[in-house]
Amino acid sequence: MSAQDSVAHPRFAEALRALGLDVEVRRFPDATRTAAEAAAAIGCDISEIVKSLVFEADGVPVIVLMDGSSRVDVERVRQELGAEKVKRAGAELVRETTGYAIGGVPPFGHVRRTRVLADRALLDHDVVWAAAGTPHTVFPLDPKTLIEYAGGALVDVRERTA
């Protein structure tokens, strides 16, 4: 059993093994549930944090990968998916879809195969940090590889700032 197995959520550690992906999973004593908490703990910019957010598009779960400094524009997600209605998923649907609780959802390694949209701004960084299945664990990866493993479609779905 490697050190990463002992700190990552067991399901996520198994997903990493299945993908043949060797990443350094870091555990923090304080929760890294929010992008701001994670950035402070890691010592990186908040935009280098990947938020794995679950939405419901016409009743079907979809995951949006967004940088920590941006907000998802639900209308842009709706247009991207050609959906009638898009809303944030509740905690129960998040756990049912991913197998993880809000605040610890990784970008891949979910219990259900789910459509993934990845905001293009993630590619602005050499390395990004994402949850490793718990609110206390994160891992670094280059964004292109992370999006590839997540099966993400590159899109522009962040809110535009005035």
Side-chain angles (χ1 to χ4, degrees):
M1 184 183 214
S2 74
Q4 86 176 16
D5 291 343
S6 62
V7 296
H9 185 286
R11 178 179 295 109
F12 188 67
E14 181 51 43
L16 290 174
R17 266 194 303 282
L19 292 167
L21 198 53
D22 186 25
V23 296
E24 175 203 356
V25 175
R26 288 199 201 164
R27 179 174 177 80
F28 293 97
D30 298 320
T32 52
R33 191 171 279 120
T34 68
E37 289 170 347
I42 295 161
C44 70
D45 190 81
I46 193 168
S47 65
E48 294 172 86
I49 302 298
V50 179
K51 299 186 285 193
S52 300
L53 306 169
V54 183
F55 288 83
E56 212 175 323
D58 295 340
V60 178
V62 61
I63 295 168
V64 177
L65 304 179
M66 179 63 63
D67 76 84
S69 65
S70 299
R71 293 174 54 97
V72 174
D73 184 327
V74 177
E75 177 58 22
R76 293 174 89 183
V77 171
R78 189 191 69 70
Q79 291 171 353
E80 186 67 44
L81 298 172
E84 292 290 317
K85 185 178 181 191
V86 173
K87 64 178 185 173
R88 283 293 287 263
E92 193 175 313
L93 183 62
V94 170
R95 190 179 286 277
E96 198 178 284
T97 302
T98 67
Y100 305 95
I102 292 172
V105 177
F108 50 83
H110 307 141
V111 291
R112 265 206 232 154
R113 187 95 182 104
T114 307
R115 186 164 182 187
V116 177
L117 302 178
D119 191 77
R120 201 173 300 280
L122 293 171
L123 297 176
D124 293 348
H125 304 285
D126 293 333
V127 173
V128 291
W129 294 81
T134 78
H136 294 273
T137 56
V138 295
F139 71 99
L141 198 60
D142 74 276
K144 198 171 177 192
T145 302
L146 181 134
I147 293 165
E148 182 183 315
Y149 280 113
L154 267 185
V155 294
D156 290 307
V157 292
R158 71 184 179 281
E159 282 184 356
R160 289 186 172 92
T161 49

